[in-house]
Amino acid sequence: NQIAEVSRKFITKNPSQIKKRLKTLTTKKEPQVILNWVNESNLFSSLTKTIGMIKSTHSTADKSLQILARYNNSKISEDFISQLEELWEGKILVQRTIHAAKGLEADFVIVLDLNSIGNGFPSSKNDDPILNLILSEQDNFQYSEERRLFYVALTRAKEQTYLIADNSHPSEFALELETSGYNVKIVGKKESDNKCPACTDGKI
């Protein structure tokens, strides 16, 4: 229910979006979407620490883990996956992009690429010009398609969704989840002393 509520609130920020109602069989009082701010550039280290967080409160035996990336070239190597399998007692599913994960689910999901550079999420790339021809002209809400894709990422987990967010180059979606009243758990310390003192939005 906590994942459903966060994802519902996020997707319906776009007034053109068809309203979504998710029915859940499991009810929790505590947040089940975890926003994990990381300062390090080592993705493998961030993943091992995130798995450690999950294992500190849950048994991972007989539990599945899905790692999702925004783009194929953001996915980690099979060697890294093999090392992660030594930490995770259950099954680590084949890595997927968020597009490829539609309709699938796992007990726990880790979402990569919440940053504002390169292949970050939300992406500012124009991936498919043909798509723009079939989308409603009225749906000009900023990052509307990226918002729908992020909704897919949030809702793939049966138990918890972990979002790895880059502290140095923060994603607009991560900042929204932290500052706009969403019931998410914030992990890690987000630096604030590198904001531009003139505009407060920019980063130095």
Side-chain angles (χ1 to χ4, degrees):
N1 64 310
Q2 294 293 342
I3 295 175
E5 180 57 26
V6 169
S7 57
R8 182 202 62 78
K9 183 176 180 179
F10 184 84
I11 193 69
T12 54
K13 283 274 188 175
N14 179 356
S16 300
Q17 177 64 47
I18 296 173
K19 305 305 178 189
K20 295 181 180 290
R21 292 289 179 186
L22 295 180
K23 294 182 180 180
T24 61
L25 300 177
T26 305
T27 300
K28 299 283 186 180
K29 293 182 179 180
E30 299 299 319
Q32 301 301 313
V33 175
I34 294 87
L35 179 61
N36 182 17
W37 289 104
V38 298
N39 295 317
E40 61 221 77
S41 58
N42 187 321
L43 178 57
F44 181 72
S45 176
S46 298
L47 281 168
T48 56
K49 289 179 180 178
T50 302
I51 288 176
M53 281 190 281
I54 298 172
K55 293 180 67 174
S56 68
T57 55
H58 296 80
S59 169
T60 61
D62 301 321
K63 297 292 185 179
S64 57
L65 172 66
Q66 177 79 75
I67 300 172
L68 297 178
R70 176 62 184 84
Y71 291 103
N72 272 313
N73 56 7
S74 298
K75 291 157 67 173
I76 60 177
S77 70
E78 290 303 315
D79 288 341
F80 279 173
I81 289 291
S82 296
Q83 294 178 57
L84 293 177
E85 287 173 337
E86 296 178 7
L87 301 174
W88 189 265
E89 289 141 357
K91 182 179 182 181
I92 297 182
L93 304 179
V94 175
Q95 276 190 97
R96 300 178 188 275
T97 63
I98 299 167
H99 275 112
K102 290 181 179 180
L104 304 178
E105 60 184 5
D107 295 305
F108 295 87
V109 170
I110 299 176
V111 182
L112 311 179
D113 299 331
L114 264 81
N115 61 66
S116 57
I117 56 174
N119 295 319
F121 201 9
S123 172
S124 57
K125 295 180 179 180
N126 189 8
D127 287 335
D128 190 352
I130 300 298
L131 184 63
N132 293 329
L133 298 177
I134 61 175
L135 289 177
S136 167
E137 292 182 3
Q138 295 179 349
D139 189 3
N140 57 2
F141 194 77
Q142 186 178 30
Y143 297 126
S144 61
E145 191 60 27
E146 290 292 291
R147 190 170 285 268
R148 285 186 279 269
L149 193 60
F150 192 56
Y151 173 88
V152 171
L154 286 172
T155 55
R156 295 311 89 199
K158 296 178 185 178
E159 297 195 26
Q160 289 184 326
T161 302
Y162 282 76
L163 310 169
I164 296 182
D166 186 340
N167 198 347
S168 301
H169 305 90
S171 155
E172 289 183 49
F173 286 174
L175 291 172
E176 178 180 332
L177 288 175
E178 182 184 57
T179 61
S180 298
Y182 291 89
N183 192 23
V184 301
K185 181 178 180 180
I186 309 297
V187 178
K189 184 179 179 181
K190 188 170 74 64
E191 296 172 357
S192 58
D193 57 359
N194 57 349
K195 286 187 176 181
C196 171
C199 68
T200 70
D201 292 325
K203 303 277 285 186
I204 296 177

